[in-house]
Amino acid sequence: GFDMWDIPQTVRKGIIPPYLKMLDIQYRMNPDIREKVSRFAYLGKLKDAPGLAVQRREEAARPPFPEQALVRLNTSPYGAEGCRPEGGSRWNIVSAALAVGLAQEALSQSFSPVAIITPYREQARLLHRLIRDLGLREVLCGTVHRFQGGEAPYVVVDLVEGKRRRHKWTPFFADDREETASRLFTVALSRAQVKVAILGDWPL
C-alpha cells in the first residue's frame, strides 16, 4: 500500500504528505544514538520522550567507553579479512572474536542482556557458536532481520566486511539498492537503549 501511494519516494524527497502521520517520539535510545537514527531515517524529526535523555546519559557514563553512547571500532589493523564461499553468506572470524570480547566486557560492567547484530546469516551462526561455547547466556545474537522490534541496553553491530587480498566484492554499504543497507544499518543501531559499538573495516 505504501508503495502504491508513492509514500517512500515522496518522503525521501523530504515531503510529508498530509495523510501521513510520522511517529516522532522515541522511548528507547540514548540521544546520541537517536540523533544518528533520526538523520538516517526520520528526516531529522525524531525526538526523545520527556526525561529519557537524562536517564540514558547517566547510564552511558559507565564503562566500557565511559560517556560514549556510540563507538566506532576499526577492525582493519587486526587483519580482519572477510570470507565468502562461492554464492554463500559472508563471515569474518576476527570481527566475530572482537564482537564477543566487547559483549563480555559489557556484561562485566552489568549491561545485560547484550545483543550482537550482523547483516549476514553465516556470521550470526559463527557468533552463536562462540557465544554457546563460552557459556554467555546473557548475550543474544542474530541478523538484523531477526532483531527488528527487539532492544538491549548494549548492542554490538558487527558489519563483517573486511578487505581481502585475493578477491573483491562490493561492501555492504556500496551495494545499497533502494537503500536496503541503510535501512538495515538504521534498524541495527536503533536496537540499542544505552550504548552501541560498531565494528567495521572503516578504510574499506
Side-chain angles (χ1 to χ4, degrees), residues 41-165:
Y42 289 87
L43 306 175
K45 297 179 184 295
L46 195 60
K47 301 185 286 287
D48 303 319
L52 183 69
V54 173
Q55 176 189 344
R56 291 295 186 242
R57 286 195 167 122
E58 287 175 353
E59 294 166 333
R62 327 199 312 254
F65 311 109
E67 310 292 342
Q68 297 181 71
L70 196 149
V71 180
R72 189 181 79 169
L73 301 165
N74 183 15
T75 60
S76 63
Y78 305 104
E81 285 194 59
C83 300
R84 183 187 189 186
E86 188 67 34
S89 183
R90 303 179 193 185
W91 59 279
N92 186 323
I93 186 65
V94 175
S95 70
L98 290 169
V100 172
L102 288 167
Q104 287 180 298
E105 186 179 11
L107 287 176
S108 74
Q109 298 296 331
S110 300
F111 284 101
S112 179
V114 176
I116 305 177
I117 305 175
T118 181
Y120 302 117
R121 285 189 301 273
E122 196 58 44
Q123 187 76 351
R125 292 189 190 102
L126 173 58
L127 287 162
H128 179 75
R129 289 193 292 271
L130 290 172
I131 290 164
R132 181 197 60 202
D133 291 349
L134 291 167
L136 301 175
R137 295 180 181 175
E138 296 174 89
V139 177
L140 314 172
C141 79
T143 61
V144 184
H145 290 94
R146 179 188 166 190
F147 272 98
Q148 290 193 72
E151 60 184 34
Y154 193 105
V155 169
V156 179
V157 178
D158 180 2
L159 293 177
V160 180
E161 301 289 0
K163 188 174 182 179
R164 297 204 71 188
R165 291 185 289 271

Side-chain angles (χ1 to χ4, degrees), residues 7 10-17 20 43:
I7 290 173
T10 304
V11 171
R12 275 197 289 271
K13 295 174 185 174
I15 302 166
I16 306 298
L20 187 68
L43 306 175

